[in-house]
Amino acid sequence: MEDLKDLYREIILDHSKSPRNFGKISPCTHEGHGDNPLCGDEVSLYLRLGEDETLADVGFEGKGCAISIASASMMTELVKGTSCADAKSRFQQFLTLFSDDSAQSHSDIDDRMKALIGVKQFPMRVKCATLPWHALNAALSGIKSKDDGETKDGC
Amino acid sequence: MEDLKDLYREIILDHSKSPRNFGKISPCTHEGHGDNPLCGDEVSLYLRLGEDETLADVGFEGKGCAISIASASMMTELVKGTSCADAKSRFQQFLTLFSDDSAQSHSDIDDRMKALIGVKQFPMRVKCATLPWHALNAALSGIKSKDDGETKDGC
Amino acid sequence: MNDMTVFDVEKIRGDFPIFEEKIHGKRLTFLDSGASAQKPVAVLDAVQDAYRHTYANVHRGVHYLSQKSTELYEGARETVRDHLNAASVDEIIFTKSTTEAINLVANSFGQMAIGEGDEILLSYLEHHSNIVPWQLVAERVGATVKAVPIDTNGDLLRDRYEEMLTDRTKIVAITHVSNAIGTVNPVKELIAKAHSKDIPVLIDGSQAIPHMKVDVRDLDADFYVFTGHKVFAPTGIGVLFGKAELLEKMPPYQGGGDMINRVTFEKTTFATGHSKFEAGTPPIVQAIGLGAAIDYVNKIGFDQIAAHEQSLLSYATQELGKLNNIRIIGQAKQKAAIVSFTMDDIHPHDIGTIIDQAGVAVRVGHHCAQPLMDFYDVPSTVRASFALYNNKEDVDALVESIKMVQEFFR
Amino acid sequence: MNDMTVFDVEKIRGDFPIFEEKIHGKRLTFLDSGASAQKPVAVLDAVQDAYRHTYANVHRGVHYLSQKSTELYEGARETVRDHLNAASVDEIIFTKSTTEAINLVANSFGQMAIGEGDEILLSYLEHHSNIVPWQLVAERVGATVKAVPIDTNGDLLRDRYEEMLTDRTKIVAITHVSNAIGTVNPVKELIAKAHSKDIPVLIDGSQAIPHMKVDVRDLDADFYVFTGHKVFAPTGIGVLFGKAELLEKMPPYQGGGDMINRVTFEKTTFATGHSKFEAGTPPIVQAIGLGAAIDYVNKIGFDQIAAHEQSLLSYATQELGKLNNIRIIGQAKQKAAIVSFTMDDIHPHDIGTIIDQAGVAVRVGHHCAQPLMDFYDVPSTVRASFALYNNKEDVDALVESIKMVQEFFR
Ligand SMILES: Cc1ncc(COP(=O)(O)O)c(C=O)c1O
Ligand SMILES: Cc1ncc(COP(=O)(O)O)c(C=O)c1O
């Protein structure tokens, strides 16, 4: 039960019940998509790239568990207004959280990422947390991502 | 060792060392072929059907173990001069030997068949004993036999 | 066959060592037999004995161990033949799974009988294993896959089925029991309808074999497939029953040892009977384990098993129905002991993770039946599936744990 | 890895329960490991433990048992990856056998890259499993199967090999070690030659993996396949290593659960990595058993194993050579511990049956290598194959039993 409380922290329940930046945005310049073939969950991520190469607006849609929705919601807050390069490095940071035990204590990782650290005790759920980030990455990179994210220019 | 002596009886060793009716016959009216895919052995059986529907001449060729060669040799002796119908019923009798425990005591089964009864203790070898009989059956019936015997008319 | 006079579920649970395990310190409530069933000691012993006392490769050896191993392997084939009431052991082909069995038929029968413009008829209840192989073959030959729709209860639309049987339909492939929502299809009638138009039928029996006695001759099935691991047997073994007259005409699927008559680089000829479709060293010990599993269930008897499972199904349906916000997906007239449900606002994945902490093992997800999920417009469900070793306590534990979830997300 | 300082064959024999068996009342002399090897307790325990303590289906579950089972299954994949020194676990695909692995490549790679008029290059040393799948695909697409000849010692004709690599050759599929006569092919050089013409190479490692350490990156093999049951693992499991860059481009082989990304009746998309080629429930526990078997042999160490087996091979070759009328088939420069022979006037089948009565288990027949038998113009041979658990006594028992045969047929 302790592990569960650590997984479903208040902030996660909050974001999952009231997801921020939910919905398509308009106008939208880039779109990314992530599928979790094991459970059938899907996330779509929408971006508007500003003239200064920052993410002027970010939105997401999708069906998913509390973990994936909260992760998506917190992610949109984190990357909105940042530069593309920043958003990409946050994606890498986020993956590091689950692969590198010491990452948790890095002070440069935002708390809205660290809130998901409880997922580490539930290996089958790590994919739920990373799914929206893969969709973001797909949208950013314009290439087919490892998780079969697909992107198209203009959406 | 008793089982072995029963398998390789004197009569079997004799027939395997000096097979009777070995070789193609000429003229030959029917031919049958048997393959044992498990060991690669092959037997070819040649017949000349007389005008009275008897097997006027019978010969065989092939590579095989002592059991299959002896069985082929004794078979040719048994069916030479008999009618087709007789030869067919002997084929059935022979199969019965291995499937029906009481068959061994049937007085109408020739001793040259019963000599092979020792094979029953060696289930993996039953096919060796029956292979030439299947080739005969293929030659007789002109149909593809269960053991992939093939026949052609005129040979 | 049935030498137990009363069905004693506690005694049966004792046959399954897994129930001695503690899960997060809790009693194991195993409600995931639909994904794969646990193994009784009888099966584990058969596996151990085969490796310890009589192991060798089959078919090609004349030595003692090879002969014993062959006898056990072929004995298992006879056990399966007898259990399905097939006419001949040549109609029983061992595969590694249902999935391989269906791929075998889709490829071999497909190569023989399905061409451009032809149709393959499935249903909305199918597992991906009975969809994707047909899509792959359809794409290769230019055929079309069609699916018979269902009503919201999860029952096949029978009139639609009959309409969809056309003269372009070359095969019907349909599940006996839906793994996702438990629907039992009236396969005997479905087969009769198809046969009236000379269309052969493959039945996916993966979820039927653990729960009911199947007689392929009574059903008049052309192909019947199932997977060992769901019927208390080892992983790595499956069965394809096929009518001899069809198998004889079908080309081989995989090439290799044991399926040949004679090999040369110029021309290779093939074995007959089941051997034609069993290329290479088969899952020898897994087949022996399957034989032991079938003996085990027959000893208990399917009348007893079915009665017990149906009473669990009613009880679970009733108790879950008392909870708030639960929607049971699939209310077919005839159902196997499978309950699929969703909860308002709480995602199946979260439910699965939370009740696991209470030792309750269910499956959450699309159950490899995405078209069915799409039909019900849910991405996934929670599925509790029952087997002969489940008891009332398991249902109670499930219901309690669901209440805990509701508490958690309140 | 190697934590035994001396190779103690008697201690190793103690790890294999089968050696407690009596055969017709006699000591078991098991010289048929080339057909299938016996299993050590470490493997049997891994199998039992997986069923007793952590069993559930893999991948799709969030509950404890499913997670444990997935960890063990994927752990076995990592063990295989490490053992072969593959770059990524996505390059390791579990199949049911070598035969399935080769069929997978023949079909999937074949569909992608082999067309009308193309050539597939094999050798005369191949097992049927590395011939028939290629013949089936060649027939389907209109390609031609060619085979590199050998000399009478059983060594591949290297200049013929190079000549036969043409711009029509789309793949080379060749065995690492001949199961019938023991020839060890210089696969690294053969691969380099093929690569100099941009031709990918599949190596059939079925008979190599039990006897030597294989490094697929050092060999630069494009595909490397082997079967578990010959390397002391359970039946029903095999391995396909394939370079990621090839696997990524290849279409799926079988369709079913777990190999998909998204299924609809209109369009199905496929998973990436190893999942694309593992349709349906895999041989979970057999893979776990394979992992344990690989750990077992690595603990002993392949230097030790090879040295021991080579000394048995020399001793057996020397002692059999002293007997009258024995013709040893296959005298390649480099040989694995396999001795194939024939005797004048006495058929291998009769030899096999007679020495079995003395507890000596050898394989007699064509060893699924009929083209090779045709080359030597024998229908079959007697084959004694050695593994790490054989000892000098086994060779002596074989030689004694052969004398008995000569006595018998005198
Ligand atoms: C060289 C070789 N290739 C392929 C095979 C086929 O292996 P399996 O029968 O396990 O598929 C074998 C063994 O039978 C073999 O020795
Ligand atoms: C109805 C149905 N068909 C097919 C399958 C596939 O079985 P397997 O994964 O053993 O091939 C399953 C189980 O996963 C099933 O429930």
Short mmCIF file of all heavy atoms in Angstrom, two decimals, chain C residues 57 60 257 279-282, chain D residues 34-35 96-100 102 125-130 175 177-179 204-207 227-230 237 368 383, ligand 1:
data_model
loop_
_atom_site.label_atom_id
_atom_site.label_comp_id
_atom_site.label_asym_id
_atom_site.label_seq_id
_atom_site.Cartn_x
_atom_site.Cartn_y
_atom_site.Cartn_z
N ASN C 57 15.11 -37.78 -28.27
CA ASN C 57 14.33 -37.29 -29.40
C ASN C 57 13.42 -38.42 -29.91
O ASN C 57 13.71 -39.60 -29.70
CB ASN C 57 15.24 -36.77 -30.52
CG ASN C 57 14.55 -35.66 -31.31
OD1 ASN C 57 13.33 -35.63 -31.42
ND2 ASN C 57 15.33 -34.75 -31.87
N ARG C 60 12.99 -40.99 -34.78
CA ARG C 60 14.04 -41.49 -35.64
C ARG C 60 14.99 -42.48 -34.96
O ARG C 60 15.92 -42.94 -35.56
CB ARG C 60 14.83 -40.32 -36.23
CG ARG C 60 14.11 -39.71 -37.43
CD ARG C 60 14.59 -38.30 -37.66
NE ARG C 60 14.19 -37.43 -36.56
CZ ARG C 60 14.64 -36.20 -36.37
NH1 ARG C 60 15.50 -35.70 -37.17
NH2 ARG C 60 14.21 -35.49 -35.36
N GLY C 257 12.99 -31.45 -40.85
CA GLY C 257 13.09 -32.87 -40.55
C GLY C 257 11.72 -33.44 -40.23
O GLY C 257 10.80 -32.71 -39.85
N ALA C 279 7.12 -30.23 -38.83
CA ALA C 279 8.51 -30.14 -39.26
C ALA C 279 9.42 -29.91 -38.07
O ALA C 279 9.12 -29.11 -37.20
CB ALA C 279 8.67 -28.98 -40.25
N GLY C 280 10.52 -30.63 -38.03
CA GLY C 280 11.50 -30.43 -36.97
C GLY C 280 11.14 -31.16 -35.69
O GLY C 280 10.11 -31.82 -35.60
N THR C 281 12.01 -31.04 -34.72
CA THR C 281 11.76 -31.66 -33.42
C THR C 281 10.55 -30.99 -32.78
O THR C 281 10.55 -29.78 -32.60
CB THR C 281 12.99 -31.50 -32.52
OG1 THR C 281 14.12 -32.08 -33.18
CG2 THR C 281 12.77 -32.18 -31.18
N PRO C 282 9.52 -31.75 -32.48
CA PRO C 282 8.31 -31.13 -31.93
C PRO C 282 8.48 -30.81 -30.44
O PRO C 282 9.48 -31.19 -29.84
CB PRO C 282 7.26 -32.21 -32.14
CG PRO C 282 8.02 -33.50 -32.11
CD PRO C 282 9.39 -33.19 -32.66
N GLY D 34 23.48 -35.64 -30.24
CA GLY D 34 23.32 -34.90 -31.48
C GLY D 34 21.86 -34.81 -31.90
O GLY D 34 21.44 -33.83 -32.52
N ALA D 35 21.08 -35.82 -31.54
CA ALA D 35 19.63 -35.76 -31.82
C ALA D 35 18.94 -34.89 -30.78
O ALA D 35 18.10 -34.05 -31.11
CB ALA D 35 19.04 -37.16 -31.82
N LYS D 96 10.12 -21.99 -31.75
CA LYS D 96 9.98 -23.28 -31.08
C LYS D 96 11.16 -24.21 -31.37
O LYS D 96 11.34 -25.19 -30.67
CB LYS D 96 8.65 -23.94 -31.41
CG LYS D 96 8.53 -24.62 -32.75
CD LYS D 96 7.22 -25.42 -32.80
CE LYS D 96 6.97 -25.92 -34.21
NZ LYS D 96 5.69 -26.64 -34.33
N SER D 97 11.95 -23.90 -32.37
CA SER D 97 13.05 -24.78 -32.77
C SER D 97 13.88 -24.10 -33.84
O SER D 97 13.47 -23.08 -34.40
CB SER D 97 12.49 -26.08 -33.34
OG SER D 97 11.70 -25.80 -34.51
N THR D 98 15.01 -24.70 -34.16
CA THR D 98 15.78 -24.28 -35.32
C THR D 98 14.90 -24.29 -36.56
O THR D 98 14.92 -23.36 -37.37
CB THR D 98 16.96 -25.25 -35.56
OG1 THR D 98 17.94 -25.04 -34.54
CG2 THR D 98 17.60 -25.03 -36.91
N THR D 99 14.15 -25.36 -36.71
CA THR D 99 13.32 -25.52 -37.89
C THR D 99 12.39 -24.32 -38.07
O THR D 99 12.27 -23.77 -39.16
CB THR D 99 12.51 -26.83 -37.80
OG1 THR D 99 13.44 -27.91 -37.69
CG2 THR D 99 11.62 -27.02 -39.00
N GLU D 100 11.73 -23.91 -36.99
CA GLU D 100 10.85 -22.75 -37.12
C GLU D 100 11.65 -21.49 -37.44
O GLU D 100 11.21 -20.65 -38.23
CB GLU D 100 10.02 -22.53 -35.85
CG GLU D 100 8.97 -21.46 -36.10
CD GLU D 100 8.19 -21.02 -34.88
OE1 GLU D 100 8.69 -21.17 -33.75
OE2 GLU D 100 7.07 -20.53 -35.06
N ILE D 102 14.41 -21.18 -39.12
CA ILE D 102 14.81 -21.14 -40.54
C ILE D 102 13.59 -20.87 -41.42
O ILE D 102 13.65 -20.10 -42.38
CB ILE D 102 15.55 -22.42 -40.95
CG1 ILE D 102 16.86 -22.54 -40.15
CG2 ILE D 102 15.84 -22.44 -42.46
CD1 ILE D 102 17.63 -23.83 -40.38
N LEU D 125 26.20 -30.31 -46.75
CA LEU D 125 26.25 -30.74 -45.35
C LEU D 125 24.97 -30.44 -44.60
O LEU D 125 24.86 -30.75 -43.41
CB LEU D 125 27.42 -30.04 -44.65
CG LEU D 125 28.82 -30.43 -45.12
CD1 LEU D 125 29.85 -29.44 -44.58
CD2 LEU D 125 29.15 -31.85 -44.65
N GLU D 126 23.99 -29.85 -45.27
CA GLU D 126 22.83 -29.34 -44.53
C GLU D 126 21.88 -30.43 -44.03
O GLU D 126 21.69 -31.46 -44.67
CB GLU D 126 22.05 -28.34 -45.38
CG GLU D 126 22.86 -27.15 -45.87
CD GLU D 126 23.71 -26.54 -44.79
OE1 GLU D 126 23.19 -26.28 -43.69
OE2 GLU D 126 24.92 -26.34 -45.03
N HIS D 127 21.29 -30.10 -42.90
CA HIS D 127 20.17 -30.85 -42.34
C HIS D 127 18.92 -30.49 -43.15
O HIS D 127 18.82 -29.38 -43.68
CB HIS D 127 20.02 -30.38 -40.88
CG HIS D 127 19.01 -31.13 -40.07
ND1 HIS D 127 17.66 -30.89 -40.15
CD2 HIS D 127 19.15 -32.09 -39.13
CE1 HIS D 127 17.02 -31.67 -39.29
NE2 HIS D 127 17.90 -32.42 -38.66
N HIS D 128 17.98 -31.42 -43.24
CA HIS D 128 16.75 -31.13 -44.00
C HIS D 128 16.10 -29.81 -43.59
O HIS D 128 15.47 -29.14 -44.39
CB HIS D 128 15.73 -32.27 -43.82
CG HIS D 128 16.16 -33.56 -44.46
ND1 HIS D 128 15.55 -34.76 -44.20
CD2 HIS D 128 17.15 -33.82 -45.35
CE1 HIS D 128 16.16 -35.72 -44.90
NE2 HIS D 128 17.12 -35.19 -45.60
N SER D 129 16.26 -29.46 -42.31
CA SER D 129 15.66 -28.21 -41.83
C SER D 129 16.28 -26.98 -42.48
O SER D 129 15.68 -25.90 -42.45
CB SER D 129 15.82 -28.09 -40.31
OG SER D 129 14.95 -28.97 -39.67
N ASN D 130 17.47 -27.13 -43.01
CA ASN D 130 18.09 -26.02 -43.72
C ASN D 130 18.09 -26.27 -45.23
O ASN D 130 18.87 -25.65 -45.96
CB ASN D 130 19.51 -25.77 -43.20
CG ASN D 130 20.02 -24.37 -43.52
OD1 ASN D 130 19.22 -23.44 -43.70
ND2 ASN D 130 21.33 -24.22 -43.60
N THR D 175 25.42 -24.63 -42.55
CA THR D 175 25.51 -25.10 -41.16
C THR D 175 26.87 -24.77 -40.57
O THR D 175 27.88 -24.74 -41.29
CB THR D 175 25.22 -26.61 -41.09
OG1 THR D 175 24.96 -26.96 -39.73
CG2 THR D 175 26.40 -27.44 -41.59
N VAL D 177 28.11 -26.62 -37.93
CA VAL D 177 28.65 -27.96 -37.71
C VAL D 177 27.68 -28.97 -38.33
O VAL D 177 26.47 -28.87 -38.12
CB VAL D 177 28.81 -28.26 -36.21
CG1 VAL D 177 29.21 -29.71 -35.98
CG2 VAL D 177 29.82 -27.31 -35.57
N SER D 178 28.20 -29.93 -39.07
CA SER D 178 27.34 -30.94 -39.67
C SER D 178 26.86 -31.92 -38.60
O SER D 178 27.66 -32.52 -37.88
CB SER D 178 28.10 -31.72 -40.73
OG SER D 178 27.53 -33.01 -40.90
N ASN D 179 25.54 -32.10 -38.52
CA ASN D 179 25.01 -33.04 -37.53
C ASN D 179 25.32 -34.48 -37.90
O ASN D 179 25.39 -35.34 -37.05
CB ASN D 179 23.50 -32.87 -37.38
CG ASN D 179 22.75 -33.32 -38.62
OD1 ASN D 179 23.01 -32.85 -39.71
ND2 ASN D 179 21.80 -34.24 -38.44
N ASP D 204 23.31 -22.08 -39.49
CA ASP D 204 22.56 -23.03 -38.67
C ASP D 204 23.50 -23.54 -37.58
O ASP D 204 24.37 -24.37 -37.82
CB ASP D 204 22.08 -24.19 -39.57
CG ASP D 204 21.39 -25.29 -38.77
OD1 ASP D 204 21.33 -25.20 -37.53
OD2 ASP D 204 20.90 -26.25 -39.40
N GLY D 205 23.31 -23.01 -36.37
CA GLY D 205 24.21 -23.34 -35.27
C GLY D 205 23.74 -24.47 -34.37
O GLY D 205 24.28 -24.66 -33.28
N SER D 206 22.75 -25.24 -34.84
CA SER D 206 22.15 -26.29 -33.99
C SER D 206 23.19 -27.18 -33.33
O SER D 206 23.07 -27.55 -32.17
CB SER D 206 21.21 -27.16 -34.82
OG SER D 206 20.28 -26.38 -35.49
N GLN D 207 24.22 -27.56 -34.11
CA GLN D 207 25.21 -28.50 -33.59
C GLN D 207 26.46 -27.78 -33.08
O GLN D 207 27.38 -28.43 -32.60
CB GLN D 207 25.60 -29.52 -34.67
CG GLN D 207 24.47 -30.41 -35.13
CD GLN D 207 24.07 -31.46 -34.09
OE1 GLN D 207 24.80 -31.74 -33.15
NE2 GLN D 207 22.88 -32.03 -34.25
N THR D 227 18.68 -24.52 -31.64
CA THR D 227 17.53 -25.15 -31.03
C THR D 227 17.88 -25.49 -29.59
O THR D 227 19.02 -25.91 -29.31
CB THR D 227 17.14 -26.39 -31.89
OG1 THR D 227 15.81 -26.77 -31.63
CG2 THR D 227 18.08 -27.56 -31.68
N GLY D 228 16.96 -25.26 -28.67
CA GLY D 228 17.29 -25.42 -27.26
C GLY D 228 17.56 -26.85 -26.83
O GLY D 228 18.46 -27.11 -26.02
N HIS D 229 16.80 -27.80 -27.36
CA HIS D 229 16.85 -29.15 -26.80
C HIS D 229 18.20 -29.83 -27.01
O HIS D 229 18.50 -30.80 -26.33
CB HIS D 229 15.71 -30.01 -27.37
CG HIS D 229 15.81 -30.28 -28.84
ND1 HIS D 229 16.43 -31.39 -29.34
CD2 HIS D 229 15.38 -29.57 -29.91
CE1 HIS D 229 16.36 -31.36 -30.66
NE2 HIS D 229 15.73 -30.27 -31.04
N LYS D 230 19.01 -29.31 -27.93
CA LYS D 230 20.33 -29.91 -28.14
C LYS D 230 21.37 -29.30 -27.21
O LYS D 230 22.49 -29.77 -27.14
CB LYS D 230 20.77 -29.73 -29.59
CG LYS D 230 19.94 -30.54 -30.58
CD LYS D 230 20.50 -30.46 -31.98
CE LYS D 230 19.45 -30.71 -33.03
NZ LYS D 230 19.24 -32.10 -33.38
N ILE D 237 11.76 -24.96 -27.74
CA ILE D 237 12.32 -23.60 -27.76
C ILE D 237 13.51 -23.54 -28.72
O ILE D 237 14.34 -24.44 -28.77
CB ILE D 237 12.73 -23.14 -26.34
CG1 ILE D 237 13.21 -21.67 -26.33
CG2 ILE D 237 13.81 -24.05 -25.73
CD1 ILE D 237 12.10 -20.68 -26.40
N CYS D 368 18.51 -36.95 -41.12
CA CYS D 368 17.89 -35.81 -41.82
C CYS D 368 18.90 -35.11 -42.71
O CYS D 368 18.93 -33.87 -42.78
CB CYS D 368 17.29 -34.82 -40.83
SG CYS D 368 15.90 -35.51 -39.93
N ARG D 383 25.57 -43.21 -35.94
CA ARG D 383 26.21 -41.98 -35.47
C ARG D 383 26.30 -41.96 -33.95
O ARG D 383 25.29 -42.04 -33.26
CB ARG D 383 25.43 -40.76 -35.93
CG ARG D 383 26.07 -39.46 -35.48
CD ARG D 383 25.17 -38.27 -35.75
NE ARG D 383 24.02 -38.25 -34.85
CZ ARG D 383 23.04 -37.36 -34.91
NH1 ARG D 383 23.03 -36.43 -35.85
NH2 ARG D 383 22.03 -37.40 -34.06
C1 LIG E 1 22.38 -29.10 -38.05
C2 LIG E 1 20.93 -29.16 -37.65
N1 LIG E 1 20.07 -28.28 -38.15
C3 LIG E 1 18.77 -28.27 -37.81
C4 LIG E 1 18.27 -29.18 -36.92
C5 LIG E 1 16.81 -29.14 -36.59
O1 LIG E 1 16.58 -28.84 -35.25
P1 LIG E 1 15.08 -28.96 -34.70
O2 LIG E 1 14.62 -30.34 -35.08
O3 LIG E 1 15.20 -28.79 -33.24
O4 LIG E 1 14.29 -27.92 -35.37
C6 LIG E 1 19.12 -30.14 -36.37
C7 LIG E 1 18.67 -31.17 -35.42
O5 LIG E 1 17.77 -31.94 -35.66
C8 LIG E 1 20.48 -30.12 -36.74
O6 LIG E 1 21.34 -31.01 -36.23
#
